[in-house]
């Protein structure tokens, strides 16, 4: 989490970056553990991970608008009424970035391999149900979205730089 | 002067950001932060301009691990702030120069 003083578009982009990084990490984990077998009932079975994304705490539009309109009043309390300096405490920053959460699925695929040490009485070995094509697609799309977030940051930087040249 | 103090804070923050990036994989390392702007605001709310002149930047160890993207974003934020500061310093010195040389007799 970035400190409050940094531009809000940077904060949003930073959350986007961390979500995409989380996705890449999950895909890497899944690919690395695609061949990790575990017998039925053992606690150390690898479960395929996927990243569930969502928006941050949703605020209603009117409050968001009022907050952003009244920030000037709230950051400089003495502009309106001298002495009441406690106005800045109630400011909530509007947070537009996504949030991510890792969820594990409990799906397994079974392969017939009676000589395997992890095989059950029917000769079946249990592997996590990792779809390699799906993981690779996730990896590529997360990579591209990461780059998109970086371009958003770059664009914001350019805007600020240009406005300083006025 | 306050602008010089702010410049010091930015230099210090840049040093801390490089330290955070250099130690990103060091076990047990916690992100170092330079506190200046919020202290300035607090001083201004408490005692106005006279208190603001006494604010100095200081280093604070947070309880979080450094994150690479966040450090790089903070670096560009520092860069922007230094740009703003140099611009206002230049303006200040230009005004002084006009005050010294600009009178036609």
């Amino acid at each position: 989490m970035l400190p409050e003083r940094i531009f809000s578009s940077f904060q949003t982009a930073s959350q986007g970056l961390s979500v995409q990084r989380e996705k890449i990490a999950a895909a890497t984990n899944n690919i690395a553990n695609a061949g990790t077998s575990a017998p039925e009932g053992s606690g150390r079975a690898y479960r395929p991970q996927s990243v569930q994304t969502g928006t941050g705490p949703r605020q209603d539009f009117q409050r968001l608008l009022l907050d952003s309109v009244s920030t000037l009043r709230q950051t400089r309390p003495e502009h309106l009424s001298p002495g009441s300096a406690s106005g800045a405490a109630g400011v909530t920053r509007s947070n537009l970035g996504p949030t991510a959460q890792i969820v594990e699925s409990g799906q397994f695929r079974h392969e017939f391999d009676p000589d395997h040490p992890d095989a059950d009485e029917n000769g079946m070995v249990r592997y996590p149900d990792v779809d390699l094509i799906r993981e690779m697609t996730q990896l590529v799309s997360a990579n591209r979205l990461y780059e998109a977030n970086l371009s958003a940051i770059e664009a914001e930087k350019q805007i600020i730089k240009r406005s300083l040249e006025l | 002067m306050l602008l010089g103090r702010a410049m010091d804070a930015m230099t210090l923050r840049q040093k801390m950001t490089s330290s955070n990036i250099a130690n990103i994989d060091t076990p047990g390392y916690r992100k170092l932060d330079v506190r200046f702007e919020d202290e300035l605001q607090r001083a201004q709310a408490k005692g106005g301009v006279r208190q603001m002149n006494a604010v100095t930047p200081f280093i604070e160890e947070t309880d979080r691990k450094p994150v690479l993207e966040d450090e790089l974003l903070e670096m560009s934020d520092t860069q922007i702030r230094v740009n703003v500061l140099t611009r206002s310093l230049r303006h200040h010195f230009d005004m002084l120069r006009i005050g010294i040389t600009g009178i036609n007799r």
Side-chain angles (χ1 to χ4, degrees), chain A residues 1-3 5-7 10 14 17 21 76 78 85 146 153 157 160 164-166, chain B residues 13 33-34 37 41 44-45 64 67 69-70 73-74 76-77 80-81 83-84 87:
Chain A
M1 218 42 209
L2 282 169
R5 59 168 189 276
I6 289 174
F7 297 95
F10 280 180
S14 138
L17 287 176
R21 220 151 86 120
R76 296 271 181 279
E78 59 271 26
Y146 191 90
I153 292 169
K157 268 165 67 178
I160 295 168
L164 281 175
E165 285 166 10
L166 277 177
Chain B
R13 184 170 289 155
D33 206 6
V34 174
E37 284 88 352
Q41 256 183 14
Q44 191 203 28
R64 287 162 287 139
V67 182
E69 295 98 354
D70 288 3
L73 276 174
E74 205 157 318
S76 31
D77 182 80
I80 290 163
R81 279 169 199 268
N83 276 340
V84 175
R87 212 195 137 127

Side-chain angles (χ1 to χ4, degrees), chain A residues 10-118:
Chain A
F10 280 180
Q11 302 213 4
T12 310
S14 138
Q15 277 175 301
L17 287 176
S18 68
V19 165
Q20 299 313 326
R21 220 151 86 120
E22 206 70 57
K23 276 191 178 169
I24 291 174
T28 317
N29 264 344
N30 288 343
I31 292 169
N33 284 295
T36 311
S37 62
E40 194 88 40
S42 82
R44 54 196 174 77
Y46 179 79
R47 292 169 191 284
Q49 299 174 344
S50 57
V51 177
Q52 199 175 45
T53 51
T55 52
R58 200 176 280 279
Q59 289 176 329
D60 64 303
F61 178 72
Q62 196 184 7
R63 246 202 42 221
L64 208 69
L65 186 65
L66 282 177
D67 274 357
S68 54
V69 166
S70 60
T71 38
L72 186 69
R73 195 192 321 162
Q74 282 170 332
T75 49
R76 296 271 181 279
E78 59 271 26
H79 275 184
L80 281 182
S81 54
S84 69
S86 58
V91 183
T92 49
R93 283 288 286 268
S94 50
N95 201 345
L96 299 169
T99 55
Q101 202 182 356
I102 289 184
V103 283
E104 293 184 333
S105 80
Q107 290 202 342
F108 294 96
R109 70 190 157 83
H110 297 266
E111 269 177 29
F112 183 66
D113 187 1
D115 296 333
H116 199 282
D118 281 341

